[in-house]
Amino acid sequence: MQLILLGLPGAGKGTQAALLAERLGLLHISTGDMFRQAAAEGTELGLRAQRYMSAGELVPDELTIAMLLERIRRRDAAAGIMLDGFPRTLPQAEALDRALAELGRAIDAVLYIQVPEALLVARLTGRWGCPSCGAIYHQLTSPPRVAGVCDRCGATLTQRADDQPATVQARLDTNRVWTEALAEFYGAQGKLHAIDGTGEPAAITERLLAAIDGVTSGTGKA
Ligand code: ADP
Ligand code: ZN
């Protein structure tokens, strides 16, 4: 099975993709994570990507597509993939369709997690992490006992550069138009399933699984 999670930044793609991949035995591929890892390792790709990421801009298609296609051609992707954060532009979607066709595969379903934009902003700007032990907090759902201080180790919490308010707005603006274009592209292929992305994470997972069940059992679209 080849699945795509579509949604604006903050829609919860990463959390849900990890859970679903585990439940369904798929390889979770997040281009955001791949870029962050490359940046942390200081590779040339990582350093180039970093400049765009910290400004809330998209990494150019040429770099992104090459990295992703190389990943899906590896053997551990053959059992099925859960794409999170890719495709993010129409050229990426078209390149993906072509590459999968060469492998004798195709996208089965695109799950579009929809969340009102005001809630996205609140979710994105509220995320804080501990640079020392890696703990993650959120002002809305899991605040630290003392604001700005790690419960576990006492270090001062920091925000990812791209979670800072000005960058968050830029990320939403950059992604909104493309996300709508992608929804239309996959809608025309009859593969788009809209999922309500508000409420408890577990409830959202259930909605996603129900939509995927509908696809694998051949019933109608959600
Ligand atoms: P978010 O969904 O919150 O933007 P991600 O972790 O998915 O976070 O991505 C972080 C950053 O990595 C993006 O803002 C963008 O700069 C870059 N990126 C990730 N995936 C892509 C992609 N498919 N195309 C272009 N840039 C990407
Ligand atoms: Zn800590």
Side-chain angles (χ1 to χ4, degrees):
M1 196 163 32
Q2 335 293 321
L3 299 175
I4 294 173
L5 280 192
L6 184 65
L8 288 171
K13 295 189 299 291
T15 311
Q16 297 294 337
L19 283 166
L20 291 174
E22 170 92 44
R23 292 269 284 262
L24 302 170
L26 304 173
L27 178 71
H28 175 201
I29 301 179
S30 157
T31 43
D33 286 348
M34 291 174 80
F35 284 134
R36 274 187 292 277
Q37 191 184 339
E41 287 167 359
T43 64
E44 198 200 320
L45 170 73
L47 297 178
R48 285 178 71 186
Q50 181 78 58
R51 292 201 300 262
Y52 300 95
M53 293 172 73
S54 51
E57 290 167 14
L58 294 181
V59 178
D61 280 342
E62 166 217 351
L63 287 181
T64 308
I65 290 170
M67 176 181 78
L68 190 280
L69 295 193
E70 190 274 324
R71 187 68 194 89
I72 65 171
R73 287 179 180 131
R74 277 194 248 157
R75 191 175 318 166
D76 61 351
I81 52 179
M82 164 66 67
L83 291 172
D84 155 20
F86 187 99
R88 229 179 261 222
T89 66
L90 282 180
Q92 292 181 13
E94 287 159 355
L96 176 65
D97 275 356
R98 280 194 300 273
L100 286 175
E102 278 168 24
L103 295 167
R105 289 146 64 184
I107 293 298
D108 296 288
V110 178
L111 305 154
Y112 182 12
I113 308 183
Q114 297 184 308
V115 176
E117 203 153 319
L119 183 53
L120 294 177
V121 172
R123 285 185 183 176
L124 291 167
T125 56
R127 193 156 63 180
W128 292 81
C130 175
S132 175
C133 75
I136 298 204
Y137 300 91
H138 199 288
Q139 267 161 23
L140 295 179
T141 51
S142 51
R145 283 191 295 271
V146 178
V149 179
C150 183
D151 288 349
R152 270 206 250 157
C153 74
T156 300
L157 301 177
T158 56
Q159 244 185 340
R160 239 171 71 177
D162 58 355
D163 284 344
Q164 288 166 22
T167 316
V168 162
Q169 201 54 59
R171 273 161 73 199
L172 290 173
D173 293 342
T174 306
N175 283 284
R176 188 180 307 107
V177 175
W178 278 123
T179 301
E180 283 164 12
L182 289 166
E184 203 168 302
F185 177 82
Y186 289 114
Q189 295 187 4
K191 293 178 179 171
L192 191 72
H193 302 261
I195 307 292
D196 173 6
T198 63
E200 294 293 319
I204 301 166
T205 307
E206 289 312 313
R207 288 174 208 146
L208 289 161
L209 285 169
I212 295 165
D213 268 353
V215 173
T216 50
S217 64
T219 59
K221 306 278 174 262

